Amino acid sequence: MTDFTQFPKSGTIILAGATGELGFLIAGFVVRRGGSLKSLVRKGSDNARIPELRRLGAEIIEVDFNNVAELVKACSGGTCVVSALSGLRDVIVETQTRLLNAAVEAGVPRFIPSDYCIDYTKLPEGSNRNLDLRREFSTRLNNAPIAPTSILNGMFTDLLTGQAPVVLFKIKRVLYWGDADQPMDFTTTRDTAAYTAAAALDTTTPRFLRIAGEVATIRDIQTAATKATGEEFGTLRAGSLGFLGSMIKITRALSPKNDEVFPPWQGMQYLHNMLSGKPKLSPLENDRYPEIRWTLVREVLATKH
């Protein structure tokens, strides 16, 4: 366990989305590093994590995220606004824009948006709906009089144990399309949160910080699954990337509703992006905070066994 008491107590972090999985972890790491924390929550929210945030030492500020004046008051005195909000255009673009405007008006010098993904700057528009929204907000952020820093971490490694249908534990296969030797970036939610907290309290961060708990190919994941379970895993190639692209179009067309944040076709888009190699993160800034120990794919897969 890392001893964060070695770090100086400095900075007041304004955190939006602290009741979500990633946000709650960020909150914990900010406090462990000695930072002051103000958690913005929706008025009237009875989320079970609010009392836990209070126990951590966070100041809970209930706000109407549609009211810029309330947001300005809530952001007052902050050294960095961190967004861990999740949603579609109304949240990623519109709500974050109001939060950004409030941060600027309150004089907050820095802003970390809710990116936490592959490098969307390298992807063509239309290849991923959720990342297109982040690109749209990024344009607004770049034009604001504030210092922005995006954390790009590839895919959350945790998804390999269930939500991302890549490691098929029942049949002992690793599913893929295209090239089994294409390097991809994976970082656990916890490691991403630890890095984000460090970046939030670091006044010298650049526009982008790219990290990967492990860079792994499909064959590397196959080896990791074998080691994690003690059972021999193989690979299963389902076709070309072009075939996967066709599957995405069909699945999206047949989807009963497209207002979910993570419908099946959205996950397929993300996997297609990663397997294409286009959004590969480079250069990696893993060593910026050397106290962080990165969790390997094998360690995450072992939790499933």
Side-chain angles (χ1 to χ4, degrees), residues 174-188:
V174 178
L175 178 67
Y176 74 100
W177 290 260
D179 183 3
D181 295 310
Q182 171 59 52
M184 298 174 288
D185 303 299
F186 297 92
T187 313
T188 63

Side-chain angles (χ1 to χ4, degrees), residues 165-232:
V166 176
V167 183
L168 308 179
F169 288 92
K170 289 185 178 180
I171 64 172
K172 300 179 181 60
R173 294 290 184 274
V174 178
L175 178 67
Y176 74 100
W177 290 260
D179 183 3
D181 295 310
Q182 171 59 52
M184 298 174 288
D185 303 299
F186 297 92
T187 313
T188 63
T189 308
R190 181 180 176 83
D191 290 351
T192 302
Y195 196 94
T196 301
L201 292 165
D202 177 358
T203 60
T204 64
T205 53
R207 176 65 183 88
F208 290 98
L209 285 172
R210 300 172 177 87
I211 56 174
E214 184 173 353
V215 178
T217 66
I218 290 295
R219 297 193 200 282
D220 292 333
I221 296 172
Q222 173 195 1
T223 299
T226 297
K227 291 181 177 179
T229 64
E231 300 176 296
E232 190 66 34

Side-chain angles (χ1 to χ4, degrees), residues 2 20 22 56 81 148 164 170 183 189 269 272 278:
T2 303
L22 176 63
L56 282 175
V81 168
K170 289 185 178 180
T189 308
Q269 282 189 333
H272 185 285
K278 292 178 181 178

Side-chain angles (χ1 to χ4, degrees), residues 1 22 58 66 69 74 102 112 119 138 143 145 159-160 168 185-186 198 226 238 243 249 255 267 276-277 280 288 293:
M1 185 72 68
L22 176 63
N66 293 313
I112 296 177
D119 195 343
S138 179
N143 291 326
L159 298 179
L160 291 175
L168 308 179
D185 303 299
F186 297 92
T226 297
F243 179 70
K249 291 179 182 178
S255 179
S276 75
K280 177 72 185 69
R288 186 178 183 90
R293 177 194 172 278

